[in-house]
Amino acid sequence: MKYDLHSHTRFSDGHLTPIQLIERAIEKGVDVLAITDHDTVAGYLDAQAHLAEHPRDITLISGVEISTKWHGFEVHIVGLNLDVTHPELTALLQSQQTKRLERAEKIAAKLSKCGFPDMLEAAKNLAGDGEITRAHFAEVLYNQGHVKSMQKAFDKFIGKGKGCYVASQWCEITTAIAAIKAAGGQAVLAHPTRYDLSKKWLRKLLAEFKTAGGDAIEVARPQQAPTERQHLGRLANEYQLLGSQGSDFHFPTNWLELGKNLYLPKDCDGIWQRF
Ligand code: AMP
Ligand code: MN
Ligand code: MN
Ligand code: MN
């Protein structure tokens, strides 16, 4: 069975519609796909409704990727296989969505001062019905020719510590885990090596995540050194956490694909045993 438990659609900063994402996942041999948009389950709901009418040969798992704050770091918690109508989860996502809009207004104000006017409207246009993210601002800056790549937009303007960065007021990790557990889901620490944490701080994060009721950490992603996968597998075992795997697919590129290179180290148990 090929599991890909981390992916995005147009309902956050992904480029594909939920249906396009599902079609691509099937094409790439994915058996079980979780849609985990930033702070929304709208993309999952759309996909689920479509599959109910047009059954396809793939299992869809409900999901969400919640932005949290932790000692000044922005840590992402993925919720899997949850009741997406649960009131505690719904209330948390509503609050996160309001924070996204408020932050977007502040980012646009800073960009305007840097000589880039009218960015809020442009970013909102790109986001459409979906949640607005910094990736939308990065795309606008790129589309208008102000930066050579979306990554450069983060590096020069909207990344942490840059001139147009706005510190977010995301919920605490404990709040995100509690809402996921209340909704009957599994809480997964997303991409643990992407927070620029020292070894000591990563261990502190894993210990606190476990204590707060966390279930698993992402051990495998397509673009990683084998040593990282083994290392994260060992850490998962040490902290009595299960392993998860996902591509974090946003849009087609030459270097990342749905379902590609996803497997857990031999001694690491998959979160899907709880589904
Ligand atoms: P947000 O959650 O609104 O802060 O947006 C962050 C999103 O932007 C991430 O989920 C990534 O998809 C995307 N992104 C791309 N490059 C970077 C970067 N260098 N730093 C942070 N986010 C990035
Ligand atoms: Mn993203
Ligand atoms: Mn993330
Ligand atoms: Mn993601």
Side-chain angles (χ1 to χ4, degrees):
M1 290 282 268
K2 195 184 267 190
Y3 291 88
D4 190 334
L5 302 178
H6 189 152
S7 68
H8 296 273
T9 75
R10 290 193 67 83
F11 284 84
S12 65
D13 55 352
H15 286 189
L16 304 189
T17 64
I19 295 133
Q20 288 169 336
L21 184 78
I22 285 171
E23 294 298 340
R24 192 176 182 95
I26 293 169
E27 202 181 293
K28 302 298 173 188
V30 173
D31 299 296
V32 183
L33 176 75
I35 293 180
T36 56
D37 275 314
H38 297 288
D39 298 307
T40 178
V41 293
Y44 163 75
L45 287 172
D46 189 75
Q48 187 198 34
H50 178 80
L51 284 181
E53 283 198 14
H54 311 277
R56 298 298 314 269
D57 195 15
I58 190 166
T59 301
L60 186 66
I61 299 288
S62 58
V64 65
E65 182 174 17
I66 303 176
S67 295
T68 75
K69 65 173 157 58
W70 184 74
H71 298 285
F73 296 98
E74 291 189 26
V75 170
H76 292 177
I77 305 294
V78 164
L80 294 176
N81 202 30
L82 23 72
D83 169 10
V84 293
T85 65
H86 192 280
E88 190 173 332
L89 180 72
T90 306
L92 174 60
L93 297 184
Q94 181 63 59
S95 147
Q96 295 274 109
Q97 289 164 13
T98 304
K99 287 172 181 173
R100 281 197 169 275
L101 260 183
E102 288 169 357
R103 184 189 60 160
E105 283 163 11
K106 290 180 186 160
I107 292 173
K110 284 197 169 182
L111 284 169
S112 183
K113 281 190 182 158
C114 288
F116 309 121
D118 307 322
M119 287 284 153
L120 184 61
E121 206 191 317
K124 274 184 171 173
N125 276 342
L126 266 187
D129 288 342
E131 292 314 309
I132 193 159
T133 72
R134 279 184 296 166
H136 294 105
F137 285 101
E139 208 176 328
V140 172
L141 286 165
Y142 172 70
N143 289 344
Q144 295 188 2
H146 304 305
V147 286
K148 291 214 165 71
S149 68
M150 279 176 63
Q151 185 58 48
K152 281 267 185 291
F154 283 92
D155 297 345
K156 290 175 82 170
F157 301 112
I158 57 176
K160 195 173 176 183
K162 306 302 171 191
C164 301
Y165 176 74
V166 176
S168 320
Q169 305 300 313
W170 306 132
C171 67
E172 300 288 332
I173 284 189
T174 46
T175 308
I177 295 174
I180 290 165
K181 301 313 292 179
Q186 303 298 319
V188 181
L189 176 65
H191 40 67
T193 55
R194 279 174 45 194
Y195 303 119
D196 275 336
L197 297 170
S198 67
K199 282 180 183 168
K200 188 178 144 196
W201 275 84
L202 177 56
R203 286 181 167 277
K204 188 173 156 69
L205 174 59
L206 292 173
E208 288 188 24
F209 175 73
K210 173 70 182 178
T211 304
D215 298 287
I217 65 172
E218 283 183 353
V219 166
R221 57 190 177 107
Q223 284 262 328
Q224 85 189 138
T227 51
E228 178 184 293
R229 195 174 302 219
Q230 298 300 332
H231 174 59
L232 289 172
R234 280 195 297 273
L235 282 174
N237 282 334
E238 189 179 327
Y239 288 88
Q240 293 180 294
L241 292 158
L242 294 168
S244 188
Q245 61 187 40
S247 60
D248 203 0
F249 180 90
H250 282 75
F251 41 80
T253 61
N254 289 331
W255 60 87
L256 191 139
E257 190 49 81
L258 284 161
K260 193 176 172 186
N261 195 23
L262 294 177
Y263 60 89
L264 294 178
K266 276 194 187 66
D267 54 349
C268 188
D269 292 324
I271 186 67
W272 43 89
Q273 70 180 43
R274 301 255 181 94
F275 293 169

